[in-house]
């Protein structure tokens, strides 16, 4: 493998990893607060849909490609927050089973977005193509041999993802808000006794997860596909959940896991360039990211320690 091909694989890895970074970070905020969120897949679907629709109508109104793309990002974040409130109300206020609530979000996303796309685009199962983001080069850094073209020629969402990982780690581990959020996910009764509003913080955690998962879905629409259809996300939300678990509910760990899964997706685009891969059926190659997800989850069982109160509705009367 020459350096050019290696650089292309690494750069493509960052493209695929970006959406996973956003979504896994969102999952961390929800689950650190004690609310299981298997609806990350559905939230990403809603985010991808909102980005496609928001970007399309922004372009139709005469906005430039980059401005329209940012409108799509904003629409995805708002959509993600609104839909995440469904999960929050069901699991926090009404104390519904959090796993079932998350699965309902996923089914709702698949059916409703496909219906809306067909409604908005004259029966087509796919939205119209939008320009989306283009890669940005950082002056000076791009000129560094090999490293510059690989790491400093990326979509703006990739830079944003790295910034949010650092910010997310700082918020969770270095601020009073982060301490309280983690406290209600570990010992909600103890947190309540010192005046922490458990359910309020859990609502905030779930809403943050909706915003970030929606942003993850938008990233796929605005950097990879340019359109939205029923298979735009194709299990990326579940892979993001695996990255969150593999990363031990830590933003830095989730970043590393997301890059690993991003690499497994990137390599399938290049593996056919090698002679030894010609005898491997294409279906096997495209299964690689999902097979690795299952292997990682199996390997993580018993090794990852989830928040102690994860999935447990809080009842103040049982303190």
């Amino acid at each position: 493998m020459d350096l050019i091909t290696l650089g292309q694989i690494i750069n493509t890895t960052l493209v695929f990893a970006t959406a996973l970074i956003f979504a896994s970070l969102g999952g961390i905020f929800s689950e650190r607060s004690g609310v299981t969120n298997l609806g990350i897949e559905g939230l990403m679907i809603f985010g991808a849909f909102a980005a496609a629709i928001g970007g399309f109508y922004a372009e139709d109104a005469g906005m430039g490609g980059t401005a329209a793309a940012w409108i799509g990002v904003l629409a995805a974040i708002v959509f993600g927050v609104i839909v995440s409130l469904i999960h929050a109300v069901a699991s926090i206020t009404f104390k519904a089973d959090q796993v079932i609530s998350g699965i309902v979000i996923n089914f709702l996303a698949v059916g409703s977005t496909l219906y809306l796309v067909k409604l908005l685009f004259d029966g087509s199962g796919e939205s119209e193509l939008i320009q989306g983001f283009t890669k940005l080069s950082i002056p000076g850094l791009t000129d560094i041999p090999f490293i510059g073209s690989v790491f400093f020629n990326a979509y703006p969402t990739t830079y944003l993802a790295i910034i949010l990982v650092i910010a997310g780690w700082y918020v969770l581990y270095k601020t009073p808000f982060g301490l309280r959020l983690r406290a209600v996910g570990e010992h909600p009764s103890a947190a309540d006794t010192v005046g922490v509003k458990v359910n309020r913080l859990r609502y905030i955690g779930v809403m943050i997860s909706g915003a970030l998962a929606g942003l993850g879905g938008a990233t796929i629409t605005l950097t990879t596909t340019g359109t939205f259809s029923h298979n735009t996300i194709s299990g990326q939300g579940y892979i993001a959940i695996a990255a969150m678990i593999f990363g031990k509910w830590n933003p830095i760990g989730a970043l590393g896991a997301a890059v690993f899964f991003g690499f497994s997706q990137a390599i399938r685009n290049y593996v056919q360039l090698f002679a030894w891969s010609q005898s491997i059926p294409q279906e096997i190659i495209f299964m690689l990211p999902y097979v690795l997800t299952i292997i990682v989850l199996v390997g993580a069982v018993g090794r990852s320690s989830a928040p102690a109160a994860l999935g447990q509705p809080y009842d103040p009367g049982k303190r």
Side-chain angles (χ1 to χ4, degrees), residues 112-241:
S112 62
T113 54
L114 179 59
Y115 169 76
L116 290 171
V117 165
K118 287 180 175 290
L119 185 66
L120 293 171
F121 294 96
D122 300 322
S124 173
E126 185 175 34
S127 66
E128 292 191 20
L129 184 68
I130 57 176
Q131 181 175 330
F133 288 116
T134 56
K135 290 186 176 181
L136 297 178
S137 299
I138 299 180
L141 296 178
T142 312
D143 299 328
I144 301 174
F146 183 72
I147 294 176
S149 61
V150 172
F151 296 103
F152 300 110
N153 180 35
Y155 291 108
T157 47
T158 300
Y159 300 125
L160 179 60
I162 303 302
I163 292 171
L164 288 182
V165 165
I166 297 171
W169 176 87
Y170 182 83
V171 167
L172 281 173
Y173 295 102
K174 299 295 181 180
T175 67
F177 169 79
L179 176 62
R180 296 188 185 104
L181 187 77
R182 289 184 290 119
V184 301
E186 295 287 347
H187 302 288
S189 297
D192 194 6
T193 59
V194 296
V196 176
K197 303 296 184 183
V198 174
N199 286 347
R200 179 188 298 176
L201 278 171
R202 288 187 168 183
Y203 261 90
I204 293 172
V206 173
M207 291 168 67
I208 292 174
S209 78
L212 290 171
L215 180 54
T219 297
I220 295 176
T221 297
L222 297 171
T223 64
T224 307
T225 64
T227 63
F228 174 82
S229 66
H230 71 282
N231 62 351
T232 295
I233 301 302
S234 297
Q236 296 296 295
Y238 298 113
I239 296 177
I241 293 173

Side-chain angles (χ1 to χ4, degrees), residues 22 46-56 58 65-81 130 132-133 156-157 160 164 210-223:
F22 286 129
F46 277 116
F49 165 79
I53 301 305
F56 170 75
T66 301
W70 285 114
I71 293 295
V73 166
L74 179 60
I77 292 173
V78 172
F79 231 81
V81 171
I130 57 176
F133 288 116
T157 47
L160 179 60
L164 288 182
L212 290 171
L215 180 54
T219 297
I220 295 176
T221 297
L222 297 171
T223 64

Side-chain angles (χ1 to χ4, degrees), residues 291-307:
V291 172
L292 286 176
T293 300
I294 295 172
I295 293 173
V296 165
L297 284 176
V298 171
V301 173
R303 298 184 181 182
S304 297
S305 180

Side-chain angles (χ1 to χ4, degrees), residues 272-294:
Q272 293 179 333
L273 297 177
F274 305 103
W276 54 265
S277 69
Q278 300 305 311
S279 59
I280 302 175
Q282 189 177 27
E283 292 77 8
I284 299 296
I285 295 173
F286 277 84
M287 284 171 54
L288 181 61
Y290 308 101
V291 172
L292 286 176
T293 300
I294 295 172

